[in-house]
Amino acid sequence: MNVQSERAARLMNMLGLDEDELCRVLAVDPLTLLSGQIEHSAELPILLSLLDEAEQRAGPTLLRRWVRASGPSGRPIEALLRRDFAAFEDAVADLAERGFVLRGGG
């Protein structure tokens, strides 16, 4: 397994992404992902770096819940899937600032 494939698997595990979601985030097709030829993905190391501190603070289980929970700007997974990395970075910053907050309905 090459370095980029290991990083992709780490991101997938860190956020609890399925293969389709990972492909959308990295803008690659499944065959490219499986072959490990995702060298063009500059987002991958940046996302991992951005999430390292959040994972250390929140823990892996909480991080997987957070990415799918509604926050002040929607669900972080939605920003990732839109490849709106600025919005995702803002969500991570909000997580670092406020912590993980679940809002109860009604």
Side-chain angles (χ1 to χ4, degrees):
M1 183 180 282
N2 70 30
V3 173
Q4 287 295 80
S5 292
E6 289 174 14
R7 287 179 174 167
R10 183 166 171 245
L11 180 66
M12 186 176 179
N13 183 50
M14 186 182 281
L15 296 178
L17 303 175
D18 63 31
E19 286 182 15
D20 181 55
E21 290 169 332
L22 183 62
C23 287
R24 287 178 60 190
V25 169
L26 299 178
V28 297
D29 61 82
L31 194 54
T32 301
L33 182 65
L34 289 174
S35 70
Q37 298 185 2
I38 51 176
E39 290 83 21
H40 74 282
S41 181
E43 301 90 1
L44 189 52
I46 294 168
L47 285 170
L48 288 172
S49 178
L50 181 64
L51 290 166
D52 274 340
E53 185 178 342
E55 184 181 44
Q56 289 174 1
R57 286 180 159 191
T61 302
L62 199 56
L63 194 59
R64 283 187 214 106
R65 286 182 59 201
W66 164 81
V67 79
R68 296 183 187 281
S70 290
S73 301
R75 297 180 326 144
I77 187 74
E78 293 169 354
L80 264 183
L81 295 176
R82 286 192 313 267
R83 294 181 46 82
D84 185 348
F85 299 116
F88 184 75
E89 184 176 5
D90 290 344
V92 173
D94 188 55
L95 173 65
E97 181 181 311
R98 298 169 29 115
F100 183 75
V101 178
L102 286 178
R103 291 178 176 77

